[in-house]
């Protein structure tokens, strides 16, 4: 069985990676696999730049292969914000619920047809400080005017997906995996491993 470190401090992300990759018989270790867990600063202007920075930085601290991911929500009526700042939207004092309330507040005068948004994600696979490959994913949706559902994490209670007429907090983890930006990027990673266009080193 291959072993892969998923370098994320976000338990919601880790849960999704673990479910998807363990189904492919890849054992997922979290940040606890690293002796030095100091956060790698996300100073990039794009999801790809930040995914690469995190993957390079964390993978220097272990001999195991490692993936890092950067993701976020782009809201068209906010010119793409919060984007790469999704986890820091509104400053360090806010949690997921606070950031979601702030988003609703900023959109309070925006009519339904202008509330379009998408989640984006880029995964970077790295080994000993070098990025081997990146994979991306995106999913289109709309921001509701109030929260619905208790599943998922982050902005999921207000992220409406037309095909399932639900928010991402109202669907099962398996359904979110099939529809989501992260699910799409993980699928690409798994396919690349299966087709051997990328090889996961044994570490
Ligand atoms: P790591 O950097 O440690 O991985 P993080 O949460 O800081 O954790 P990011 O910088 O990539 O990660 O920020 C991603 C943010 O985007 C996340 O905290 C949510 O606010 C939002 N987000 C990304 N994917 C999401 C999803 O599937 N559902 C809900 N919100 C999501």
């Amino acid at each position: 069985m291959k072993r892969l470190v998923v370098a994320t401090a976000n338990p919601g992300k880790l849960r999704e990676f673990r479910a998807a990759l363990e189904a492919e018989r890849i054992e997922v270790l979290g940040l606890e696999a690293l002796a030095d867990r100091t956060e790698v600063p996300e100073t990039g202007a794009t999801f790809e730049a930040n995914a690469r920075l995190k993957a390079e930085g964390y993978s220097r601290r272990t001999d195991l292969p490692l993936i890092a991911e950067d993701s976020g929500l782009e809201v068209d009526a906010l010119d793409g914000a919060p984007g790469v700042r999704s986890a820091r939207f509104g400053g360090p004092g806010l949690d997921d619920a606070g950031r979601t309330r702030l988003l609703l507040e900023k959109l309070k005068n925006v009519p339904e047809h202008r509330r379009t948004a998408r989640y984006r994600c880029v995964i970077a696979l790295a080994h000993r400080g070098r990025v081997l490959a990146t994979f991306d994913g995106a999913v289109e949706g709309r921001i509701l005017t109030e929260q619905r559902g208790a599943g998922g994490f982050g902005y999921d209670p207000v992220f409406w997906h037309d095909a399932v007429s639900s928010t991402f907090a109202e669907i099962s983890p398996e359904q979110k995996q099939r529809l989501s930006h992260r699910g799409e990027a993980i699928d690409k990673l798994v396919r690349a491993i299966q087709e051997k266009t990328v090889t996961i080193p044994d570490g």
Side-chain angles (χ1 to χ4, degrees):
M1 198 164 174
K2 294 276 188 195
R3 294 203 303 164
L4 195 56
V5 178
V6 175
T8 178
N10 179 326
K13 275 192 196 177
L14 186 62
R15 256 195 320 274
E16 294 186 8
F17 273 110
R18 194 158 264 149
L21 292 174
E22 297 202 340
E24 302 298 328
R25 298 189 44 76
I26 298 169
E27 184 187 348
V28 169
L29 310 175
L31 274 182
E32 71 282 352
L34 307 182
D36 175 4
R37 288 163 220 160
T38 325
E39 202 176 319
V40 173
E42 294 179 32
T43 51
T46 63
F47 297 118
E48 178 170 348
N50 281 332
R52 284 177 171 275
L53 279 174
K54 286 190 267 188
E56 283 164 3
Y58 287 119
S59 72
R60 282 196 201 100
R61 306 176 191 172
T62 173
D63 286 337
L64 290 168
L66 176 145
I67 58 182
E69 184 256 31
D70 201 54
S71 52
L73 179 69
E74 292 177 351
V75 178
D76 293 325
L78 301 177
D79 295 323
V84 291
R85 295 188 42 80
S86 293
R88 292 160 280 160
F89 191 46
L94 297 184
D95 58 6
D96 275 356
R99 283 186 284 274
T100 301
R101 277 195 298 273
L102 174 64
L103 178 66
L104 292 184
E105 173 64 25
K106 285 193 184 286
L107 293 176
K108 70 172 189 285
N109 296 320
V110 178
E112 187 179 322
H113 69 278
R114 289 190 52 235
R115 299 174 75 97
T116 48
R118 71 206 52 76
Y119 280 130
R120 283 192 195 283
C121 152
V122 176
I123 293 175
L125 168 68
H127 191 223
R128 297 183 182 144
R130 200 169 68 84
V131 172
L132 305 177
T134 62
F135 306 91
D136 63 359
V139 58
E140 298 289 327
R142 194 154 46 79
I143 306 302
L144 294 184
T145 53
E146 54 189 36
Q147 310 202 23
R148 285 180 53 163
F153 66 94
Y155 302 94
D156 284 343
V158 294
F159 187 85
W160 179 264
H161 192 275
D162 272 332
V164 283
S165 296
S166 305
T167 69
F168 269 10
E170 294 177 304
I171 58 179
S172 68
E174 294 75 21
Q175 242 178 332
K176 183 177 173 192
Q177 193 63 34
R178 273 198 298 280
L179 299 170
S180 80
H181 52 317
R182 190 166 301 99
E184 183 185 359
I186 293 173
D187 270 358
K188 289 181 185 173
L189 165 70
V190 166
R191 238 177 297 135
I193 295 168
Q194 287 167 345
E195 291 166 3
K196 298 194 183 350
T197 46
V198 62
T199 306
I200 297 202
D202 285 329

